[in-house]
Amino acid sequence: MGESISRVFVPSVTEEDGNTLGLGCFSTEEVAWQVLRTFLNKSEQMLLTKCSVVVWDIDIVGEEAMTVLSSMECKDCPVCSRRTFWIDTDNFSALCHGTACSAWIEENNVDPEIIDCGWPTIRFLKQNKSIDEAVEALFKLGDKLKSAGEKRMAKENAEKLIGENNAEE
Ligand SMILES: [Zn+2]
């Protein structure tokens, strides 16, 4: 009996139209996460809204068999504007999976009161007092990049992005 599997780990993603894609079912959490992370690298080619890793206990009837281990939401990235910014709302962290972006937000591992954010491309790093402030810092960075590229459109784009972001809350 030692070899038998008693629970499985199931990663899945949800598309904008509500369609959910199961990515397989795995005997370890590690493999489930690897499969999910690999898939998230494709997220700039799709419009995804959510993802999760769920544990299912085998041979148990009903809802109790299922535990949501972790779930993330996908938003437009404050820096690159693509729908590739994955936010883990339970652990207060976020990462952009867009090519060559990797903008991120994370709780400071020394002082949990501080929220760090950064953009590796220019080694941007900032400490913030709240998640909102961290998101705002990344938006400002995104605005700067856009205004550097196309001066006239920059403000309009930024306002639209911020407006959309607030509307979804
Ligand atoms: Zn990005």
Side-chain angles (χ1 to χ4, degrees):
M1 283 296 283
E3 292 286 309
S4 74
I5 291 170
S6 59
R7 46 190 356 205
V8 289
F9 298 84
V10 180
S12 67
V13 296
T14 306
E15 293 179 286
E16 199 173 46
D17 61 9
N19 189 28
T20 298
L21 303 174
L23 304 179
C25 84
F26 305 95
S27 58
T28 67
E29 189 182 341
E30 271 164 282
V31 176
W33 274 109
Q34 272 169 26
V35 170
L36 181 60
R37 282 199 199 96
T38 304
F39 191 88
L40 293 189
N41 291 333
K42 289 189 211 160
S43 55
E44 70 182 87
Q45 296 155 37
M46 310 172 71
L47 283 175
L48 300 172
T49 57
K50 278 184 287 186
C51 73
S52 64
V53 176
V54 170
V55 195
W56 286 94
D57 287 308
I58 304 266
D59 293 336
I60 291 178
V61 177
E63 275 180 11
E64 279 173 32
M66 189 195 110
T67 311
V68 179
L69 213 60
S70 182
S71 61
M72 294 195 284
E73 282 180 41
C74 194
K75 300 277 186 195
D76 293 338
C77 174
V79 179
C80 70
S81 305
R82 288 173 289 190
R83 175 74 69 79
T84 47
F85 196 64
W86 287 94
I87 303 169
D88 181 336
T89 42
D90 300 328
N91 297 307
F92 303 114
S93 68
L95 174 66
C96 177
H97 287 256
T99 318
C101 182
S102 302
W104 58 271
I105 296 175
E106 231 168 67
E107 211 171 60
N108 188 288
N109 50 20
V110 180
D111 183 352
E113 298 281 296
I114 294 174
I115 308 293
D116 294 329
C117 70
W119 194 51
T121 312
I122 55 164
R123 295 192 191 166
F124 172 81
L125 182 69
K126 187 174 182 286
Q127 296 197 326
N128 308 275
K129 290 190 205 78
S130 67
I131 307 253
D132 287 348
E133 201 182 299
V135 171
E136 194 54 39
L138 290 180
F139 265 117
K140 276 187 188 145
L141 179 66
D143 289 354
K144 269 186 206 159
L145 295 169
K146 275 173 215 119
S147 67
E150 37 178 326
K151 268 206 161 74
R152 246 174 346 125
M153 289 289 291
K155 193 146 185 284
E156 270 171 43
N157 280 349
E159 274 169 4
K160 191 165 163 270
L161 274 174
I162 292 165
E164 277 171 3
N165 197 49
N166 289 340
E168 278 175 31
E169 290 307 308

